[in-house]
Amino acid sequence: MALVVHKYGGTSMGSIDRIKNVARRVAKWHNAGHQVVVVPSAMSGETNRLIGLAKEIMPEPDQRELDMVTSTGEQVSVGLLSMALMQQGKQAVSFTGWQVPVKTDTSHTKARIQSIDEEKIRENLDAGKVVIIAGFQGISEDGNITTLGRGGSDTSAVAVAAALKASECLIYTDVDGVYTTDPRVVTDARRLKKITFEEMLEMASLGSKVLQTRSVELAGNYHVPTRVLSSDPDIPLEEEAKSGTLITFEEDSHMEQTVISGIAFSRDEAKITVVGVPDRPGIASRILGAIASANIEVDMIIQNQSINGKTDFTFTVPRPDYNRAMDLLNNQIKAEIGATDIIGDAKVSKVSAIGIGMRSHVGVASKMFGTLSEEGINILMISTSEIKISVIIDEKYMELAVRALHKAFGLEQM
């Protein structure tokens, strides 16, 4: 008997019929002798509907109250799934994040999990029940309901799997695994049978929507075997357990031969430049400190060569945070540091080439830049690490760049 954690996304929970399908799949695993914990998302579109309701009342909703509203989507899902399992003849019990409890910090709408009390979960598993836990939510140390941000149910599932030392965490999605890039952009994208945690972390953080970045971090930190697979096909259990994409801890010989494993992209980028910044110690800290205090994430950073004691400081932020960041810099930081101007561009995208093969192969950057040049695509910013190269480009060229790079690195032939 193995203890497994299943996570189902909003599409899988999108209707009563689909919830019944999920119940049948879970029952199949339970009938095979496994202990099963299920972490479902809210029904498809429900979180957006709830956010929309909140914004009709308060255009910039209070973060605590927004968490109160949006957390209810998953509460509906767990209750319905529990009832669907009962209709399958299974004993099932559902819990919200605060009932387990899933303890988080106090950062509303972007909370981070600190611990999970596993006692209640194990007690019910040992009683032969299927345990269903609401994803995306928890409770802070001051007793408030919190949510984990977009894709937070992935993080909930991996955290539960880590706490229970589950044999595997299966992430069921509307795709059948992790692809070399988004098949909607490149029709001949290929599904990867395996990918390393390092590569998956880069892909998640650089725009791949298959898994939330924090869920990959957790899986890597706690060595939780994680598989991404489709929730659609009704295949035998033995095949299902080996399908999709396995996120691995170790590189195999085939992976070492592959220079690039995938092309990731993000449409939701914005670029901000603080112009004419005095080139002296502490300026970068003042700019980025203010941005961080507003709970805005910064990605790429470039500081130009100083000329006559002045320099330009450029960085990227998520597009939804662009206006807040611009207002903060213009109203609080510009005059304080003596900057000449604050300029921004909310119509940029990020495209990244990712692969552990970069460690042992040269020429990846020159091929990437050469390919973009041949397509007439100008590079606005560049960022590199040991296993990835990212560029910021005009958003209107993003899909062209992805298709060109996918072909240049031969990813359709993997």
Side-chain angles (χ1 to χ4, degrees):
M1 179 186 292
L3 194 165
V4 294
V5 174
H6 286 199
K7 184 269 176 180
Y8 293 92
T11 303
S12 302
M13 300 291 294
S15 68
I16 295 301
D17 283 342
R18 291 184 178 184
I19 291 172
K20 289 179 178 179
N21 286 336
V22 169
R24 282 191 284 271
R25 172 178 275 108
V26 172
K28 179 176 66 176
W29 280 77
H30 195 261
N31 289 337
H34 299 294
Q35 291 184 315
V36 187
V37 178
V38 188
V39 180
S41 297
M43 296 175 74
S44 181
E46 181 64 7
T47 302
N48 286 339
R49 186 185 75 85
L50 294 169
I51 292 172
L53 290 174
K55 288 187 174 181
E56 283 184 34
I57 292 175
M58 193 176 190
E60 292 292 333
D62 177 87
Q63 302 290 279
R64 179 191 181 277
E65 302 309 325
L66 185 61
D67 275 354
M68 287 289 286
V69 172
T70 56
S71 64
T72 62
E74 279 70 19
Q75 184 169 335
V76 172
S77 289
V78 296
L80 291 175
L81 181 56
S82 184
M83 287 187 276
L85 279 160
M86 291 176 186
Q87 286 296 102
Q88 291 285 319
K90 291 294 175 185
Q91 288 185 297
V93 60
S94 64
F95 296 111
T96 61
W98 59 267
Q99 286 177 307
V100 172
V102 177
K103 298 173 184 175
T104 75
D105 62 20
T106 57
S107 300
H108 285 289
T109 76
K110 296 180 181 179
R112 300 185 77 88
I113 295 174
Q114 295 179 331
S115 66
I116 295 178
D117 189 336
E118 61 187 273
E119 182 179 353
K120 192 177 294 185
I121 305 172
R122 290 197 182 277
E123 187 178 288
N124 283 276
L125 288 174
D126 291 342
K129 297 179 183 179
V130 176
V131 178
I132 308 158
I133 301 171
F136 178 63
Q137 61 181 252
I139 186 166
S140 66
E141 58 192 24
D142 50 10
N144 288 314
I145 292 174
T146 55
T147 64
L148 310 181
R150 286 292 187 181
S153 292
D154 291 342
T155 300
S156 299
V158 174
V160 168
L164 296 172
K165 295 181 173 56
S167 60
E168 191 161 279
C169 181
L170 295 96
I171 309 288
Y172 291 90
T173 71
D174 53 3
V175 295
D176 60 351
V178 180
Y179 277 70
T180 50
T181 195
D182 190 333
R184 292 169 295 186
V185 175
V186 181
T187 55
D188 56 1
R190 294 286 181 264
R191 180 172 61 84
L192 300 166
K193 291 183 178 180
K194 290 183 179 181
I195 186 171
T196 67
F197 274 95
E198 290 175 281
E199 290 172 319
M200 190 65 242
L201 183 58
E202 291 285 9
M203 291 186 76
S205 65
L206 294 169
S208 173
K209 305 301 183 185
V210 176
L211 288 176
Q212 191 197 47
T213 305
R214 280 189 288 161
S215 70
V216 184
E217 290 176 349
L218 271 174
N221 289 341
Y222 292 94
H223 278 224
V224 178
T226 304
R227 185 179 298 273
V228 179
L229 65 168
S230 173
S231 59
D232 291 335
D234 188 15
I235 58 176
L237 185 62
E238 317 80 62
E239 294 180 29
E240 183 178 313
K242 298 178 182 177
S243 63
T245 301
L246 177 64
I247 305 174
T248 67
F249 300 99
E250 297 178 359
E251 304 165 17
D252 62 26
S253 57
H254 174 71
M255 289 177 174
E256 291 171 357
Q257 295 166 13
T258 305
V259 181
I260 298 298
S261 295
I263 306 295
F265 59 86
S266 172
R267 303 177 192 271
D268 298 327
E269 299 289 326
K271 179 169 69 76
I272 297 175
T273 300
V274 185
V275 181
V277 177
D279 188 15
R280 64 172 185 265
I283 292 294
S285 173
R286 183 68 191 95
I287 295 169
L288 297 180
I291 296 294
S293 295
N295 206 18
I296 298 172
E297 295 181 4
V298 171
D299 184 16
M300 293 190 190
I301 302 171
I302 291 178
Q303 182 170 327
N304 293 344
Q305 179 67 39
S306 175
I307 299 177
N308 298 324
K310 297 278 187 176
T311 186
D312 295 340
F313 190 84
T314 304
F315 57 94
T316 60
V317 297
R319 194 174 297 176
D321 293 326
Y322 172 71
N323 289 331
R324 276 203 305 137
M326 289 292 287
D327 289 344
L328 186 154
L329 292 169
N330 276 305
N331 298 331
Q332 298 182 30
I333 303 301
K334 179 181 174 182
E336 177 187 325
I337 64 174
T340 305
D341 199 4
I342 309 292
I343 59 175
D345 184 355
K347 294 185 177 181
V348 297
S349 293
K350 177 169 60 179
V351 177
S352 309
I354 301 152
I356 56 174
M358 288 188 196
R359 292 171 174 163
S360 54
H361 291 77
V362 298
V364 175
S366 62
K367 176 180 279 193
M368 183 174 182
F369 301 154
T371 300
L372 295 176
S373 175
E374 288 170 9
E375 298 293 341
I377 301 172
N378 186 42
I379 298 172
L380 305 176
M381 299 176 73
I382 301 170
S383 173
T384 65
S385 76
E386 190 179 25
I387 65 169
K388 65 94 177 172
I389 301 172
S390 296
V391 296
I392 294 292
I393 59 175
D394 191 307
E395 72 170 352
K396 66 184 178 183
Y397 296 121
M398 189 208 74
E399 292 194 7
L400 173 62
V402 171
R403 287 192 293 267
L405 292 171
H406 195 272
K407 183 177 181 180
F409 287 107
L411 295 181
E412 75 281 359
Q413 301 169 1
M414 291 176 62

